[in-house]
């Protein structure tokens, strides 16, 4: 069944036969033998475990959804998607920190090219430069610390690397910027606003998960130092999550609001990974996969609204889906998954993450903070849902029923993985 959906999608796609063959070859050859094994070896430098398997599966699924989008230069777009899939496969299955880092940065170049080619505003150049500068600033200390430990960069034995506090900070910094966490997040809303829908979907669903994936891989380095810094990291994560939920409420741009909600989820993942406990790791994995499909779906549906109203403003788009019940239902699923609420896998991820944090410190202050964060992080998703479906739409918007079968199918394809995985979440154990 795992390969039935993509094969059906490839049959329906209006791309060349070569592209279809390339995508199917990548998926079958490099992902077929990965599941239900502790560690699987592809070649001498490419290894994979269940974490690699599920993150790459998420990438394959999102790229197949993206092929449906109609773009100006289909042949260039198809080649870009294929290159992205190859780079992501090399990133998730490389077992060397330097190789992982190189592939990790090269995948950002593809996203930059998508933003610059299919973006529609001149400000996209400024957003791309901002992203490049942030990447360079966080990458240089990381490169220096890797050069200091050049002999032991294998991820298999990474827990035996002895790093000092500065090297540990540089490792954390480069992945915190990609997740992103507060203070290193400024590039994300700007890039989301300027990028086309396919750029936003890739960025939110796959590239933000590269930071989480890298952090999971290197979190076992210097566990003594990690345990000393845990209280600082947890305090930072709790407060910044609360501040970000407040920032979500004051947004008028729909894309920016979804981008800030991604930062909220990723900060929770950051806190869970840093605890380095089994439940916390499971929770972070659930959020990664659930948020990957949910945020891409939110960006796709916000693009449908933009096509109708020619605006991303929440006020102008109010009541957009009130006349189309199918679109309202899809938007409801997306917003409630972002909230998170059952039956989405996100709710299990946040439950495990918060439970691990309470096990770490069950003080009254922590319980109050957790309750406040859970409440406020649900509120902006509920607000985002009802403003689009329960308000009076503007008379200036004439074409509000453009939710055709293609849009419906793509929206359903974002929702299906979240619900199916929640039926049997043990599949995602890492």
């Amino acid at each position: 069944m795992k390969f039935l959906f993509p094969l059906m999608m490839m049959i329906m796609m209006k791309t060349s036969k070569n592209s279809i063959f390339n995508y199917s070859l990548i998926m079958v050859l490099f992902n077929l033998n990965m599941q239900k094994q502790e560690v699987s070896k592809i070649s001498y430098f490419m290894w994979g475990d269940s974490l690699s398997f599920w993150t790459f599966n998420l990438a394959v699924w999102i790229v197949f959804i993206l092929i449906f989008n109609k773009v100006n230069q289909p042949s260039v777009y198809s080649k870009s998607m294929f290159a992205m899939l190859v780079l992501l496969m090399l990133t998730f299955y490389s077992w060397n920190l330097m190789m992982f880092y190189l592939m990790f940065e090269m995948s950002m170049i593809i996203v930059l090219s998508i933003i610059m080619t299919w973006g529609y505003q001149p400000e996209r150049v400024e957003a791309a430069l901002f992203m490049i500068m942030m990447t360079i600033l966080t990458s240089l200390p990381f490169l220096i610390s890797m050069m200091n430990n050049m002999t032991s960069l294998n991820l298999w034995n990474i827990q035996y690397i002895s790093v000092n506090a500065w090297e540990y900070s540089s490792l954390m910094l480069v992945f915190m910027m990609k997740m992103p966490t507060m203070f290193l997040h400024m590039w994300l809303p700007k890039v989301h606003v300027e990028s086309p829908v396919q750029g936003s979907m890739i960025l939110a669903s796959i590239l933000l998960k590269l930071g989480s994936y890298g952090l999971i891989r290197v979190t076992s380095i210097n566990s003594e130092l990690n345990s000393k810094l845990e209280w600082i990291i947890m305090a930072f994560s709790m407060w910044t999550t609360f501040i970000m939920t407040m920032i979500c409420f004051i947004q008028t741009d729909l894309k920016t609001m979804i981008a800030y909600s991604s930062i909220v989820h990723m900060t929770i993942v950051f806190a869970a990974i840093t605890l380095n406990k089994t439940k916390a790791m499971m929770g972070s994995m659930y959020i990664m996969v659930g948020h990957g499909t949910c945020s891409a779906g939110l960006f796709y549906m916000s693009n449908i609204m933009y096509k109708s109203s020619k605006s991303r403003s929440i006020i102008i788009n109010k009541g957009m889906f009130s006349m189309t019940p199918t679109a309202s239902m899809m938007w409801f699923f997306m917003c409630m998954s972002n909230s998170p609420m059952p039956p989405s896998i996100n709710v299990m991820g946040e439950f495990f993450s918060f439970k691990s944090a309470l096990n770490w410190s069950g003080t009254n202050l922590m319980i109050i903070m957790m309750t406040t964060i859970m409440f406020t992080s649900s509120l902006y998703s509920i607000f985002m849902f009802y403003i689009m479906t329960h308000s009076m739409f503007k008379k200036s918007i004439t074409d509000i029923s453009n939710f055709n079968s293609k849009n419906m199918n793509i929206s359903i394809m974002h929702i299906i993985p979240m619900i199916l995985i929640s039926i049997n979440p043990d599949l995602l154990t890492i």
Side-chain angles (χ1 to χ4, degrees), residues 11-185:
I11 292 163
M12 290 186 283
M13 280 186 325
K14 290 182 180 179
T15 51
S16 63
K17 290 180 182 177
N18 290 334
S19 296
I20 295 169
F21 176 74
N22 289 336
Y23 284 117
S24 58
L25 192 69
I26 286 260
M27 183 180 64
V28 174
L29 289 184
F30 293 102
N31 216 22
L32 189 62
N33 64 336
M34 285 292 129
Q35 201 180 11
K36 295 298 176 190
Q37 295 180 35
E38 288 301 315
V39 175
S40 303
K41 191 171 182 180
I42 299 171
S43 69
Y44 286 108
F45 75 99
M46 291 180 69
W47 294 50
D49 55 6
S50 53
L51 176 63
S52 309
F53 175 81
W54 283 107
T55 43
F56 185 59
N57 256 7
L58 174 67
V60 168
W61 187 260
I62 295 296
V63 167
F64 274 125
I65 290 171
L66 285 168
I67 291 165
F68 278 103
N69 286 353
K70 286 178 77 175
V71 288
N72 295 334
Q73 298 166 311
S75 60
V76 178
Y77 181 65
S78 181
K79 288 182 177 74
S80 301
M81 291 295 108
F82 176 61
M84 173 62 81
L85 208 52
V86 171
L87 284 172
L88 288 169
M89 185 262 298
L90 290 169
T91 308
F92 290 130
Y93 286 124
S94 62
W95 217 248
N96 182 283
L97 196 57
M98 183 62 92
M99 176 74 177
F100 167 73
Y101 171 74
L102 288 172
M103 296 299 117
F104 175 83
E105 296 299 349
M106 281 173 73
S107 58
M108 297 295 273
I109 294 167
I110 303 278
V111 172
L112 277 173
S113 66
I114 288 169
I115 292 166
M116 296 304 289
T117 310
W118 288 281
Y120 45 83
Q121 290 174 345
E123 288 87 356
R124 68 184 187 273
V125 180
E126 188 186 335
L129 282 171
F130 194 20
M131 183 174 158
I132 291 163
M133 288 306 296
M134 290 283 285
T135 306
I136 290 166
L137 283 171
T138 52
S139 293
L140 286 173
F142 178 72
L143 275 170
I144 293 162
S145 62
M146 275 204 296
M147 286 172 188
N148 289 341
N149 298 286
M150 194 59 91
T151 53
S152 52
L153 288 179
N154 192 346
L155 291 172
W156 189 249
N157 301 316
I158 204 157
Q159 64 267 30
Y160 303 116
I161 298 176
S162 58
V163 292
N164 56 35
W166 289 108
E167 288 172 347
Y168 181 77
S169 303
S170 71
L171 280 171
M172 295 282 281
L173 198 67
V174 73
F175 297 123
M176 280 169 72
M177 183 262 166
K178 288 292 191 298
M179 289 181 72
T181 50
M182 182 80 164
F183 305 120
L184 296 169
H185 74 280

Side-chain angles (χ1 to χ4, degrees), residues 116-380:
M116 296 304 289
T117 310
W118 288 281
Y120 45 83
Q121 290 174 345
E123 288 87 356
R124 68 184 187 273
V125 180
E126 188 186 335
L129 282 171
F130 194 20
M131 183 174 158
I132 291 163
M133 288 306 296
M134 290 283 285
T135 306
I136 290 166
L137 283 171
T138 52
S139 293
L140 286 173
F142 178 72
L143 275 170
I144 293 162
S145 62
M146 275 204 296
M147 286 172 188
N148 289 341
N149 298 286
M150 194 59 91
T151 53
S152 52
L153 288 179
N154 192 346
L155 291 172
W156 189 249
N157 301 316
I158 204 157
Q159 64 267 30
Y160 303 116
I161 298 176
S162 58
V163 292
N164 56 35
W166 289 108
E167 288 172 347
Y168 181 77
S169 303
S170 71
L171 280 171
M172 295 282 281
L173 198 67
V174 73
F175 297 123
M176 280 169 72
M177 183 262 166
K178 288 292 191 298
M179 289 181 72
T181 50
M182 182 80 164
F183 305 120
L184 296 169
H185 74 280
M186 288 86 75
W187 62 275
L188 186 74
K190 198 168 182 60
V191 169
H192 270 308
V193 164
E194 305 305 332
S195 67
V197 63
Q198 57 267 29
S200 288
M201 285 167 74
I202 291 173
L203 195 61
S205 60
I206 304 164
L207 293 192
L208 296 190
K209 308 300 166 289
L210 285 173
S212 316
Y213 176 86
L215 203 62
I216 290 171
R217 290 290 187 221
V218 302
T219 196
S220 55
I221 295 177
N222 207 341
S223 53
E224 289 177 14
L225 189 62
N226 191 18
S227 58
K228 286 176 188 173
L229 295 172
E230 263 177 5
W231 67 274
I232 299 173
I233 291 164
M234 289 302 292
F236 167 80
S237 302
M238 293 297 108
W239 281 111
T240 53
T241 307
F242 178 68
I243 291 162
M244 278 294 162
T245 52
M246 293 297 104
I247 288 171
C248 282
F249 279 112
I250 61 169
Q251 298 305 315
T252 54
D253 189 321
L254 193 58
K255 257 192 161 183
T256 318
M257 192 175 184
I258 301 164
Y260 276 114
S261 73
S262 295
I263 299 165
V264 172
H265 287 293
M266 288 295 106
T267 311
I268 293 167
V269 170
F270 171 64
I273 292 167
T274 316
L275 287 172
N276 204 9
K277 300 286 189 292
T278 309
K279 271 197 182 71
M281 288 293 181
M282 281 169 63
S284 62
M285 188 64 193
Y286 292 158
I287 296 174
M288 279 163 66
V289 173
H291 176 261
T293 51
C294 159
S295 61
L298 283 168
F299 277 117
Y300 184 78
M301 292 197 76
S302 66
N303 186 60
I304 295 168
M305 292 184 219
Y306 174 76
K307 282 178 181 174
S308 297
S309 65
K310 299 294 180 284
S311 171
R312 292 192 308 267
S313 170
I314 290 172
I315 299 155
I316 291 172
N317 283 315
K318 66 179 184 179
M320 179 66 74
F321 290 147
S322 59
M323 299 296 285
T324 47
T326 316
S328 298
M329 190 183 72
M330 298 297 168
W331 186 245
F332 174 76
F333 269 110
M334 301 288 186
C335 292
M336 291 307 104
S337 300
N338 198 45
S339 182
M341 289 182 188
S344 168
I345 189 67
N346 297 44
V347 71
M348 291 192 67
E350 295 217 358
F351 176 77
F352 276 123
S353 302
F354 288 145
K355 182 72 175 72
S356 303
L358 288 174
N359 286 348
W360 175 76
S361 170
T363 56
N364 292 335
L365 182 63
M366 182 63 101
I367 293 165
I368 291 163
M369 281 294 292
M370 288 288 179
T371 314
T372 312
I373 287 164
M374 287 171 82
F375 179 68
T376 51
S377 66
S378 300
L379 270 182
Y380 64 79

